[in-house]
Amino acid sequence: MKILMVCLGNICRSPLAEGILQHKSRLAGLDWVVDSAGTNGYHVGEAPHHLSQKVARLNGIDISGQRARRFSGVDFDQYDKIYAMAGDVVEEMKRLAKKQFQAGKVDLLMNELLPGSNMDVPDPWYGTEPGYHEVYKMIDEACDIIISRYKL
Ligand code: 4NP
């Protein structure tokens, strides 16, 4: 499996999703490729937000080596499954990928945990540390489901 996690800035939510799923896939002995990207280019080349790094570290996961990159339509050739953190992210992915957009590869991450809910992982960017813990918990639970569903 090659899985891409996408949010807006690739510094708060999707770096957590990448780190968490990569960690769980390794623990499960799976040979998965997990990456993340953002639909805007504002933070390209930057490490994850310090609160995302902190919350990951408190949970035993080091995401400090990640660097933000921008999502592009070419990602549809590289990945089997692309999870968007929120509905506005899917709209931006469509805008960027144009004809390369493959709806069958895209889902909202939270639909793994709560099928059909179309729930967003809230953007913690403007908030405080508790928001990052809340986001971690949501992503962690969704990643458990992904592992159990695709681990064959
Ligand atoms: P993320 O949060 O999408 O979870 O990485 C954001 C970070 C930065 C911005 C937006 C969302 N920004 O516009 O700079």
Side-chain angles (χ1 to χ4, degrees):
M1 285 287 284
K2 291 184 180 179
I3 296 180
L4 182 67
M5 301 294 196
V6 184
C7 64
L8 298 174
N10 194 206
I11 54 164
C12 299
R13 292 166 290 179
S14 62
L16 281 173
E18 175 186 337
I20 291 168
L21 190 63
Q22 200 152 60
H23 181 75
K24 289 183 188 295
S25 66
R26 283 195 193 126
L27 284 179
L30 299 166
D31 188 22
W32 285 5
V33 171
V34 185
D35 193 14
S36 64
T39 54
N40 75 43
Y42 303 149
H43 299 277
V44 167
E46 292 179 22
H49 190 282
H50 70 98
L51 288 173
S52 287
Q53 290 195 42
K54 177 179 177 180
V55 170
R57 195 168 56 243
L58 289 171
N59 286 280
I61 299 176
D62 179 6
I63 61 168
S64 65
Q66 293 185 30
R67 293 296 176 268
R69 74 163 175 93
R70 195 168 193 196
F71 168 81
S72 103
V74 175
D75 285 314
F76 279 101
D77 298 330
Q78 311 290 330
Y79 294 92
D80 303 309
K81 189 88 201 168
I82 301 182
Y83 289 108
M85 298 301 120
D88 56 352
V89 175
V90 177
E91 293 310 310
E92 284 300 296
M93 287 167 60
K94 285 180 184 165
R95 200 177 60 80
L96 290 169
K98 300 186 177 73
K99 284 182 179 168
Q100 288 168 293
F101 189 87
Q102 295 178 46
K105 288 189 174 183
V106 178
D107 202 356
L108 291 176
L109 180 68
M110 281 298 128
N111 279 343
E112 287 287 356
L113 184 64
L114 301 165
S117 66
N118 292 331
M119 185 188 285
D120 289 349
V121 178
D123 189 347
W125 171 247
Y126 298 103
T128 54
E129 184 168 334
Y132 288 76
H133 288 277
E134 181 194 341
V135 159
Y136 186 97
K137 186 169 183 292
M138 293 175 78
I139 294 172
D140 187 65
E141 290 175 356
C143 287
D144 279 336
I145 305 286
I146 294 171
I147 294 284
S148 57
R149 184 162 297 159
Y150 294 106
K151 72 179 172 192
L152 298 178

